[in-house]
Amino acid sequence: MGIHTFLFGHTSSGEPVFARTVGNRNGMRMTVLDYGATIQSLCVPDRNGVMRDIVCGYDDVYGYEKDTTYCGAIVGRWANRIGKGAFSLDGKSYTLACNNGENHLHGGSVGYSHRIWACREEGEDTLSFALDSPDGEEGYPGTLHITVTYRLTEDNALSIRYFAQAESKSVINLTNHTYFNLGGHSSGTVEDHVLTLRASRYTPMDSGNIPVGTLAPVEGTPLDFRTPAAFGSRLHDKAFNGGRGYDHNYALDGGEGPVAELWCPATGIGLEMTTSMEGMQLYTAGWLTERKGKDGAVYGQAHGVCLETQHFPNAVNCPAFPSPILRKGETLQQWTAFRFFAR
C-alpha cells in the first residue's frame, strides 16, 4: 500500500524521469511516469485472480521519447485533430504545426505527451501532475496552468480528473491516450474484445479524418455498438476505413451510469467507463506499426483500444459543436473514470 517512487531513467538531454506506483487492497497496481503524465502499467486481476498488465507501454524512457503513438500519455493542448492546423479566436488567426498530413494532431510537434510534469503525491491513492503551457507554445494563444490527477480506488476504479486555468482566452482539449488490451498487453490483437457504447450518433469526417461539423446516426453502420459486439473482422475489413479499424469520434448519449463497457472473454477482465465529456474517440490502433514493448512484447496493428474522452475533434472550427474555449478566470473541470471487473 502507499505510493512507491523510483527513478525510471533519463531523457536524451539528461533530465531524470521518475515513476510512481500506487496500489489498492485488491492487488491492483498502477505505475505513472512524470514524462507525459503517462500510465506505464496497470495491473488488474482476471477471473481467476491472476494479475495482468492491461496497458501497452515501454520499459525505458527512450521508448517513450521516440514514441509517436502517444502511448499512455496525456495529450494536449489539443487532443485529436484540427483541420489544416489553423483556427480563429476573436477574429485573430492562429497557425499550428501540421504533424498529421495537412492537419494538426495531439498538440503538435512537442505536445504535453513529451513534456515532464511536476508530480505531487496526495495521500496513498492519488497522484497529481501539473504543467504550465506558455502563451505561443505550438502556436496556441494564452498561458494555461494544467493539473491532471489519477486516483486508484478500493473498488478497482481509476479516476482521471482534468483542471486548467487560462491567463487569457484560449482553447483546450485534453485526454488520456492509454492503449488497453484486456487480455494482457502482450496478448496480441483485441479482435475478441466486446464493446458496448451508449452513443447513437457520431461525427462524420472527410478523407483526412476531420469532422465536417455535423452529427449522423450510427444505426445501420459498423459504428453501432449500442448492443454488445465484438470487434472481430471489422478491424481488418478493407471496406471499412481501409482496413485500419476504428478511429472515429462518437457523440455520447446523456444520462446516468457508464457510457461504455469493454470486455475480454479470454480473461474475463472488463471495464466500465463514465465521463463528464460529450465525445469519445474510439481508436483500435490501426496505425500502430510493429514495435518492441514492455517485457519483450511485440505490439502491432489492433493490439490495443483507446477510449479517448474529449471535446469533438476540430471543434474550434465547427460552431455547432460544444465550445472548447476557456476564458480568463474560468476553471476547466472534467473527468473520466474506468472501473475494472472480472466475470
Side-chain angles (χ1 to χ4, degrees):
M1 297 297 296
I3 298 171
H4 173 58
T5 302
F6 59 96
L7 181 66
F8 189 72
H10 292 82
T11 67
S12 56
S13 61
E15 294 178 278
V17 174
F18 289 93
R20 291 167 174 85
T21 298
V22 57
N24 67 13
R25 291 182 177 85
N26 304 316
M28 188 173 169
R29 301 187 313 279
M30 174 179 65
T31 298
V32 187
L33 310 179
D34 52 19
Y35 187 89
T38 297
I39 298 176
Q40 190 265 346
S41 70
L42 183 62
C43 297
V44 303
D46 68 12
R47 64 162 64 94
N48 297 314
V50 176
M51 301 302 296
R52 296 181 184 268
D53 185 352
I54 58 167
V55 301
C56 297
Y58 301 101
D59 288 324
D60 53 36
V61 177
Y62 178 70
Y64 288 99
E65 278 195 297
K66 71 176 183 178
D67 180 67
T68 58
T69 69
Y70 310 93
C71 191
I74 296 296
V75 293
R77 174 175 310 194
W78 187 269
N80 217 307
R81 297 170 177 85
I82 294 177
K84 311 295 185 185
F87 68 96
S88 296
L89 187 63
D90 290 341
K92 184 176 179 179
S93 297
Y94 295 91
T95 301
L96 313 173
C98 291
N99 59 324
N100 183 241
E102 61 181 6
N103 303 308
H104 178 82
L105 177 68
H106 290 332
S109 300
V110 183
Y112 299 167
S113 56
H114 288 71
R115 297 274 304 278
I116 292 182
W117 296 57
C119 182
R120 184 178 69 251
E121 300 175 9
E122 300 183 9
E124 295 189 342
D125 62 0
T126 302
L127 298 171
S128 178
F129 293 87
L131 183 71
D132 290 333
S133 182
D135 176 42
E137 184 177 33
E138 290 291 333
Y140 287 100
T143 295
L144 295 182
H145 306 287
I146 301 163
T147 302
V148 176
T149 66
Y150 296 103
R151 179 173 179 244
L152 197 60
T153 69
E154 292 303 320
D155 63 346
N156 285 6
L158 167 59
S159 167
I160 308 175
R161 292 188 172 271
Y162 306 86
F163 305 88
Q165 292 182 317
E167 293 188 5
S168 59
K169 194 173 184 180
S170 188
V171 298
I172 185 170
N173 191 20
L174 303 174
T175 196
N176 176 273
H177 207 286
T178 291
Y179 289 76
F180 292 107
N181 188 323
L182 302 183
H185 76 95
S186 60
S187 63
T189 74
V190 294
E191 293 178 19
D192 67 334
H193 283 37
V194 177
L195 177 66
T196 310
L197 185 59
R198 191 148 51 87
S200 55
R201 297 177 300 170
Y202 73 103
T203 54
M205 302 175 293
D206 64 18
S207 59
N209 272 15
I210 302 298
V212 296
T214 60
L215 299 178
V218 299
E219 186 171 1
T221 77
L223 300 173
D224 193 348
F225 286 96
R226 290 175 297 171
T227 57
F231 291 126
S233 62
R234 299 187 203 180
L235 299 188
H236 307 286
D237 186 350
K238 295 295 184 183
F240 178 50
N241 204 23
R244 296 287 188 178
Y246 293 90
D247 195 8
H248 296 78
N249 176 70
Y250 287 83
L252 300 172
D253 294 341
E256 297 295 325
V259 294
E261 179 186 288
L262 186 68
W263 180 68
C264 173
T267 62
I269 295 173
L271 66 81
E272 291 179 340
M273 187 190 80
T274 54
T275 185
S276 65
M277 297 304 296
E278 69 271 11
M280 188 201 80
Q281 187 84 4
L282 173 63
Y283 178 51
T284 52
W287 280 265
L288 185 64
T289 56
E290 187 173 298
R291 67 198 57 219
K292 183 179 179 181
K294 293 181 293 189
D295 306 321
V298 176
Y299 304 141
Q301 184 175 343
H303 281 212
V305 182
C306 299
L307 306 175
E308 305 165 53
T309 56
Q310 57 194 249
H311 288 308
F312 296 165
N314 204 38
V316 290
N317 292 314
C318 299
F321 287 172
S323 174
I325 293 173
L326 184 64
R327 295 172 175 82
K328 181 179 180 180
E330 295 180 338
T331 299
L332 173 143
Q333 297 188 59
Q334 298 165 349
W335 59 270
T336 295
F338 302 97
R339 188 186 71 83
F340 298 91
F341 62 88
R343 64 170 184 244

